Amino acid sequence: MWKNLNALEKRTMIGCFAGWSLDALDAQAYSFVMPALLGLWGISRGQAGMLGTVTLLVSAFGGWFVGMFSDRYGRVRVLQITVVWYAVFTFLSGFTQNFEQLFVCRALQGLGFGGEWAAGAVLIGEVIRDEYRGRAVGIVQSGWAIGWGAAALLFGVVFSRFPDALAWRIMFWTGLLPAFGAIWMRGKLREPEASAPARQAARNTSVAAQIGIIFTRPYLATTIKAAALATGATGGSYSFVVWLPTYLKTVRHMSVIGTTAFTTVLIAGSFVGFLAGAYLCDAIGRRRTFMVSTIGSAIMLVLYMGISLPDNLMLVLGFPLGFCAYMMFSPMGPYMTELFPSAIRGTAQGFCYNFGRGIGALFPGVIGLLGSMLPLGGTIVAFGVSAYAIMLIAIALLPETAGRALDAGAPSVPASESEESYRRELSTDSR
């Protein structure tokens, strides 16, 4: 595939891959510092869960509005702003002195964190040609595993060499790295030409009209189902990923090195899962890939945390758990790109994915509250499996889009009529 891409497609893939990697480095840093904060600040599991939840919850709103602004002002420009935003607030988190200050920084980080996916996924989905879209977006998504792996390795090195009181701050300070990626993007990436008419149409209307169109016919049903799909995927992964280091340390009583080893196996599985999902979504279709991944994730989560297993067997099972749980994210970007026409793509994709992320963000917080009264492992399994059940329902109700040209799949009416209807509606609202 790579040799058949043109220069712009390759640069866009590289830029978005780096963005996803550094995004994951920032996002996953908190899960590794959480055990240290539990001891240093004496916060409860419920408060720790709130710190994990607030970033993801605010990211739902950030992604929605950033997606809308990317429809109005361009994917690349808005992507650069969001990358700098979340990098700065991750960095500032390392200077906080108490729960309240970190809560504010984590919330503000969420605005950019949600927006990076909204603008980046649409950008690469529009730049890459139809026949390569699934594989390209899926490969870019695998950058998340690279960033997550970097966070795990950084955790092992930093917490082994520095006292906890300093190590957790260093983890957050490294979050400034993505800001340098935004500088590279400015000179190497450019806006997709196909989205230029849509940007002009969006700028000619009110923000309220642009936001509201995804909740009207013929888009409303697709909006609801796509949001449910994202809710299941993100809720399932957040249920165990946010709490995994804490579970390994407090329930399985593992050291820093042991926690790093188990997390690294899970991350390795997720990386291979991202790549497998990228190729499978073009080979067998988006829906079948979702189905295989969702059922496999539920089964592996029950085995991994729902059954008392020896440490060595649990270590091995981390790979297939990561493989199944992250395979589903590879088709997510191209699938949502194909479900909506270009005039509302950023708004719709930003809302659907980040609404799901916001609802899924509640899971770690609730798990933290219940985990104080119930076994942590069983609570994680219950919420994770429930999330995957929601995803299965959404998959059954949504159409297959593999091989579909962009703007050929607006629900209920032909794409050309949908696009024209949308522009007429925007024009009417602006008057």
Side-chain angles (χ1 to χ4, degrees):
M1 179 195 73
W2 181 257
K3 65 181 180 180
N4 294 324
L5 299 180
N6 60 41
L8 177 60
E9 289 173 320
K10 290 179 179 178
R11 288 198 302 270
T12 304
M13 278 193 68
I14 292 171
C16 290
F17 183 92
W20 251 269
S21 300
L22 294 170
D23 189 4
L25 176 64
D26 279 15
Q28 295 299 331
Y30 175 68
S31 69
F32 289 105
V33 307
M34 188 193 301
L37 293 179
L38 286 170
L40 292 169
W41 286 358
I43 61 176
S44 66
R45 282 184 178 178
Q47 288 176 307
M50 288 174 61
L51 289 171
T53 292
V54 67
T55 302
L56 302 173
L57 190 60
V58 174
S59 75
F61 296 96
W64 185 9
F65 285 98
V66 166
M68 179 269 296
F69 284 123
S70 76
D71 281 341
R72 298 173 75 90
Y73 304 113
R75 321 302 191 198
V76 176
R77 181 186 302 175
V78 173
L79 178 60
Q80 292 166 346
I81 294 171
T82 58
V83 168
V84 172
W85 181 280
Y86 78 70
V88 168
F89 281 103
T90 302
F91 175 72
L92 293 177
S93 295
F95 294 97
T96 56
Q97 301 298 318
N98 53 47
F99 171 82
E100 291 76 16
Q101 292 176 5
L102 184 56
F103 185 91
V104 171
C105 282
R106 294 280 297 167
L108 291 172
Q109 180 206 13
L111 290 175
F113 176 61
E116 197 273 342
W117 192 94
V122 175
L123 171 64
I124 191 166
E126 290 180 338
V127 169
I128 303 296
R129 282 166 281 175
D130 299 341
E131 61 266 36
Y132 302 125
R133 186 179 303 115
R135 278 166 286 175
V137 179
I139 290 171
V140 164
Q141 291 272 19
S142 70
W144 180 270
I146 300 298
W148 188 9
L153 292 175
L154 187 65
F155 164 75
V157 172
V158 171
F159 275 81
S160 296
R161 293 178 176 270
F162 299 95
D164 287 4
L166 176 61
W168 75 266
R169 296 185 185 278
I170 295 174
M171 288 288 290
F172 281 134
W173 290 337
T174 60
L176 196 60
L177 291 174
F180 297 101
I183 299 173
W184 181 88
M185 291 178 193
R186 181 174 295 276
K188 298 295 184 179
L189 305 183
R190 66 172 185 265
E191 301 294 339
E193 296 180 3
S195 64
R199 291 198 302 273
Q200 185 60 50
R203 286 197 294 268
N204 289 336
T205 190
S206 66
V207 171
Q210 185 185 356
I211 290 176
I213 191 65
I214 65 173
F215 302 110
T216 62
R217 296 181 63 189
Y219 306 111
L220 178 59
T222 303
T223 298
I224 293 172
K225 289 179 282 189
L229 182 76
T231 298
T234 56
S237 63
Y238 291 159
S239 293
F240 70 91
V241 168
V242 171
W243 283 103
L244 181 61
T246 302
Y247 172 82
L248 293 173
K249 183 174 182 179
T250 62
V251 178
R252 307 290 297 203
H253 306 293
M254 293 185 182
S255 64
V256 168
I257 299 302
T259 299
T260 302
F262 271 69
T263 306
T264 300
V265 172
L266 184 76
I267 294 169
S270 72
F271 178 71
V272 178
F274 276 123
L275 296 179
Y279 283 86
L280 282 176
C281 74
D282 279 341
I284 66 174
R286 316 318 192 203
R287 293 175 71 249
R288 288 180 180 176
T289 305
F290 284 137
M291 190 76 70
V292 171
S293 179
T294 305
I295 295 173
S297 298
I299 293 172
M300 293 310 308
L301 185 58
V302 171
L303 293 175
Y304 194 77
M305 290 186 172
I307 300 174
S308 181
L309 298 173
D311 286 352
N312 57 351
L313 180 55
M314 187 179 171
L315 176 67
V316 173
L317 289 178
F319 189 92
L321 174 61
F323 179 90
C324 294
Y326 284 89
M327 184 196 303
M328 64 184 67
F329 288 96
S330 292
M332 194 73 68
Y335 191 57
M336 289 190 179
T337 296
E338 292 155 356
L339 284 174
F340 298 98
S342 61
I344 63 168
R345 185 168 292 127
T347 305
Q349 199 162 327
F351 171 80
C352 291
Y353 185 78
N354 288 288
F355 175 87
R357 178 183 272 175
I359 299 300
L362 299 175
F363 286 36
V366 178
I367 289 171
L369 293 172
L370 294 178
S372 301
M373 302 174 286
L374 301 172
L376 182 58
T379 306
I380 292 171
V381 170
F383 276 84
V385 172
S386 297
Y388 291 132
I390 293 172
M391 188 171 180
L392 285 174
I393 295 171
I395 294 168
L397 297 175
L398 283 163
E400 179 58 71
T401 63
R404 176 184 288 179
L406 293 186
D407 294 341
S412 303
V413 292
S416 59
E417 294 178 24
S418 297
E419 190 92 6
E420 186 60 34
S421 174
Y422 168 68
R423 291 175 183 168
R424 284 199 304 269
E425 186 165 351
L426 290 179
S427 178
T428 299
D429 287 333
S430 66
R431 290 197 296 269

